[in-house]
Amino acid sequence: MISKAVVEALQKFVPSENILLQEPMAGHTTFRIGGPADCFLLLESEEQLKKVQKYLYLVGVPFFILGNGSNLLVRDEGYGGVILQIGKKMSRIAVQGCHIVAQAGATMGQVAHAALEHGLTGLEFASGIPGTVGGGVVMNAGAYGGEMSQIVTEVRVVNREGETLELDNATMEFGYRTSIIKHNPFTVTEVDFSLEHGDREAIRQKMDELGAKRREKQPLEYPSAGSTFKRPEGHFAGQLIMEAGFRGFQVGGAKVSDKHCGFIVNTGEATARDVREIIEEVQRRVKERFHVELETEVVFLGWEDI
């Protein structure tokens, strides 16, 4: 439980109306699942982030950086720390020639559509990804042959001392669903994308085509965290899960999608425990049958990692 003294200290850095206590996390994840966070902060600027993050490190209070909550499963009992949301209040997008500079709270879709409006190509793959730019950079988000590493030139981050650093593409150490930020105490505040001029109608058509593919192949009608598992080398997670007999497998309100077995969906009343039970059973049986370790793409908050 966050102490009164910590809350009072946070009020010196963030307006009181942006500090929410016992905030249900189900309203802040695409899974629509999760118990209350002890303290939830809506950040409005990099300066606020610097002060808050430095203070929380100093006093040893756990915190978690949240974007759109698109790959997050929060424990039913909630999170005993501080959530720092970089979202709508830090989502400015600026277009400068062939470059787009976006704050970390802008969604991938918003940046892709800004590129479309200015006739810039390279971000079409991102138009249907539900996460924020910050989260997308951290995990090197990608789809349909495109990924962040191909178009990111510079990432602005804040470290635990409250200092600002500029990381170029090589320094980011991008890999499959990873980057240097996943292994260091850095928080993304801004991203510079380098794109190319293209035909606006061709860009729009490609985005429409990718959108149609998503609607056809993915269970977008249900809350989920997107792909539950990373792609194992030499395999496709969804195919292994299907071949292991899990299509439509259900625990409580959570279910392996009939449409795409790589997705676990919330059919309406799923708990985090329901989802975790499915994940553990899928991992166990796929390893048993195919000798393949399925690693989760979903991040677990409020309990030990699976």
Side-chain angles (χ1 to χ4, degrees):
M1 184 69 77
I2 300 297
S3 70
K4 183 179 179 183
V6 169
V7 174
E8 289 176 350
L10 292 173
Q11 289 173 338
K12 297 176 183 178
F13 310 130
V14 179
S16 297
E17 62 268 25
N18 289 351
I19 301 176
L20 310 175
L21 302 180
Q22 294 300 304
E23 176 69 6
M25 289 300 292
H28 299 284
T29 71
T30 57
F31 246 139
R32 299 293 176 254
I33 293 172
D38 279 359
C39 186
F40 189 102
L41 270 61
L42 298 159
L43 297 177
E44 297 181 342
S45 68
E46 184 179 280
E47 200 56 38
Q48 286 182 3
L49 170 68
K50 287 181 178 180
K51 292 175 180 177
V52 169
Q53 191 167 278
K54 186 176 181 180
Y55 168 74
L56 293 175
Y57 272 125
L58 184 66
V59 297
V61 173
F63 66 91
F64 182 83
I65 305 296
L66 178 74
N68 199 38
S70 58
N71 68 331
L72 189 65
L73 182 67
V74 183
R75 195 179 181 204
D76 299 310
E77 291 79 6
Y79 176 63
V82 181
I83 298 290
L84 307 181
Q85 186 179 45
I86 298 178
K88 292 179 181 179
K89 295 179 182 292
M90 290 180 67
S91 61
R92 186 180 65 252
I93 299 170
V95 180
Q96 303 163 358
C98 286
H99 284 257
I100 292 183
V101 178
Q103 286 187 301
T107 68
M108 299 282 281
Q110 287 171 336
V111 179
H113 280 85
L116 167 64
E117 289 172 10
H118 289 81
L120 298 175
T121 182
L123 263 166
E124 291 89 335
F125 75 90
S127 60
I129 296 177
T132 59
V133 165
V137 166
V138 171
M139 68 175 293
N140 189 21
Y144 300 108
E147 60 181 21
M148 297 290 269
S149 64
Q150 299 166 353
I151 51 176
V152 169
T153 55
E154 195 167 75
V155 180
R156 184 180 175 95
V157 301
V158 172
N159 66 14
R160 69 172 67 198
E161 284 77 36
E163 301 168 328
T164 299
L165 305 174
E166 304 281 355
L167 309 180
D168 63 17
N169 186 287
T171 306
M172 283 295 294
E173 297 180 7
F174 284 120
Y176 174 63
R177 299 299 176 263
T178 191
S179 71
I180 194 172
I181 301 172
K182 287 197 78 170
H183 312 290
N184 287 276
F186 299 150
T187 301
V188 179
T189 60
E190 193 173 84
V191 179
D192 186 319
F193 297 94
S194 179
L195 306 173
E196 296 180 0
H197 288 294
D199 178 75
R200 190 172 301 174
E201 195 49 45
I203 295 168
R204 187 190 309 278
Q205 184 175 345
K206 186 172 182 181
M207 288 171 63
D208 288 345
E209 288 172 358
L210 295 181
K213 283 185 180 180
R214 282 191 173 91
R215 290 188 294 274
E216 178 189 351
K217 297 181 179 180
Q218 298 179 10
L220 302 182
E221 65 273 25
Y222 291 107
S224 77
S227 296
T228 307
F229 302 98
K230 295 179 182 178
R231 186 181 66 244
E233 190 172 353
H235 301 275
F236 292 100
Q239 184 177 355
L240 291 175
I241 295 166
M242 180 181 67
E243 291 177 359
F246 279 103
R247 184 187 293 276
F249 178 76
Q250 190 159 351
V251 173
K255 180 180 179 181
V256 174
S257 170
D258 294 298
K259 198 177 208 180
H260 190 315
C261 292
F263 285 65
I264 295 174
V265 299
N266 176 0
T267 62
E269 299 295 333
T271 65
R273 171 55 59 184
D274 293 339
V275 175
R276 182 166 179 171
E277 284 189 22
I278 290 180
I279 288 172
E280 290 176 337
E281 182 61 17
V282 166
Q283 287 175 317
R284 184 191 67 78
R285 203 181 303 178
V286 166
K287 182 179 180 181
E288 184 181 86
R289 180 167 176 183
F290 302 108
H291 309 290
V292 175
E293 298 268 5
L294 287 181
E295 183 182 352
T296 56
E297 198 165 299
V298 172
V299 175
F300 299 87
L301 184 63
W303 42 23
E304 73 280 6
D305 288 343
I306 291 180

